[in-house]
Amino acid sequence: MKKNIFILAALATMTLYSCSSDDGADVIVDMTDKPININVGVASTSRVGYDTDADLQASTFGLFLNAENKAQGKTGSGRYGATNLEIAYSAGKWAAANGTQLLWKSADSKVYYIAYMPYSSSAVLTDSTLKHDFAVSVQKDQRVISNVVASDFLYAKLDSTEASTVGIDVTFKHALSKLYVGLKLGSEVATVEIDSVKVKACTGNSSTFDIETGLLNAADLAAQTDSVMLYKVGELEFEGVLIPQTYAKTLVVEVYANNGQTYVYESDEDLIFKQGWSYRLPLKVSRDIVRDGEIKATAWTVKNGGTLKTE
């Protein structure tokens, strides 16, 4: 059974307004030094990893927030800004893990932010600017859900948002790629059970990421010879997180069955896995060979609100 995968967590909890006695309308009196609420969501229709609110809330993220100017390389200070501030979920809301309360500077102030998940203290340089070569990697063994979560990397960036009692919306997008492998069994192997699926030693599992631009840096991934064991989401369904890269006729997928047989798929085409894209590979397992269908690519589409399900 496919899991429901990303659930939006909209968690603004503080009400910062007064009521007009004349018309009953809600009127913002003054936003100066009022708390900035943080609303967090992961917006996607096909995600591996977090599949409940509790999973998402168990992680933390890093926040760069600037109320001074739009230069993203320069971060804010004091309570009007943040430099790689760790944000955690606690007591029903998202807030700074160290207890710092971010504040609006004035009613007409604007803030600019960058956020990434999961949090790391190494995402900022010694001069408090964002790191341009932040190390990212995926787990080689993603057969357990905790390793799938550990492999995922999320990113959010907003150029401008005005002061509001609602707060700021941090809607993360995927920075890596997803591979979904769907299997069908030929009649001659209909009773075989599939134990696991592996993207064989033809893939790069580590790269670097520019926190300011949100882009992966060019890396010699072709020189890496790692592999990835995929997570089993159904009897014949497997998926995992991969570093975006080009497979120049080098994608090899191995299917391991309980009869001791290994079925191998070797792609004969160049495949480009891009940031934020999901790739669906249908395979038919026969007695001695694996026949492939057409691999399909779809964006990890952003949707706001509600329960978000897999493709």
Side-chain angles (χ1 to χ4, degrees), residues 9-10 78 83 89 165 170 175 177 185 188 201 279 284 292 302 307 309:
T83 300
Y89 184 79
T165 57
V170 179
S177 299
L185 301 181
E188 67 276 25
Y279 296 85
K284 183 178 180 180
D292 65 298
V302 172
T307 300
K309 299 181 179 180

Side-chain angles (χ1 to χ4, degrees), residues 33-218:
D33 289 341
K34 295 297 190 296
I36 297 178
N37 297 316
I38 302 174
N39 313 312
V40 178
V42 184
S44 170
T45 57
S46 56
R47 176 181 170 112
V48 291
Y50 305 108
D51 57 3
T52 68
D53 279 342
D55 290 331
L56 180 62
Q57 293 160 6
S59 187
T60 63
F61 68 90
L63 177 67
F64 295 86
L65 186 142
N66 186 357
E68 307 296 331
N69 55 61
K70 197 173 180 178
Q72 294 284 13
K74 298 179 180 179
T75 53
S77 59
R79 293 196 167 193
Y80 300 122
T83 300
N84 201 31
L85 182 64
E86 184 176 13
I87 306 296
Y89 184 79
S90 178
K93 65 178 181 178
W94 291 91
N98 65 5
T100 297
Q101 176 61 65
L102 296 174
L103 304 175
W104 293 108
K105 202 168 186 179
S106 65
D108 59 355
S109 66
K110 296 182 179 181
V111 294
Y112 316 95
Y113 74 75
I114 286 174
Y116 68 94
M117 189 181 233
Y119 171 81
S120 171
S121 60
S122 63
V124 63
L125 298 173
T126 55
D127 63 355
S128 296
T129 57
L130 297 81
K131 199 166 187 178
H132 298 281
D133 58 350
F134 178 72
V136 293
S137 62
V138 299
Q139 299 287 313
K140 295 181 180 180
D141 189 348
Q142 297 182 28
R143 287 176 293 180
V144 295
I145 196 64
S146 59
N147 284 354
V148 181
V149 174
S151 299
D152 213 347
F153 186 72
L154 306 176
Y155 184 79
K157 180 177 180 178
L158 190 67
D159 284 340
S160 175
T161 185
E162 297 181 353
S164 167
T165 57
V166 174
I168 60 173
D169 295 327
V170 179
T171 303
F172 286 107
K173 297 181 181 180
H174 300 275
L176 304 182
S177 299
K178 170 192 168 181
L179 175 63
Y180 169 92
V181 176
L183 303 175
K184 290 185 178 181
L185 301 181
S187 58
E188 67 276 25
V189 293
T191 60
V192 167
E193 294 183 8
I194 304 301
D195 293 328
S196 57
V197 172
K198 178 173 74 174
V199 179
K200 202 180 174 182
C202 57
T203 185
N205 280 12
S206 61
S207 186
T208 60
F209 186 85
D210 190 325
I211 298 291
E212 184 173 351
T213 65
L215 299 175
L216 280 169
N217 296 313

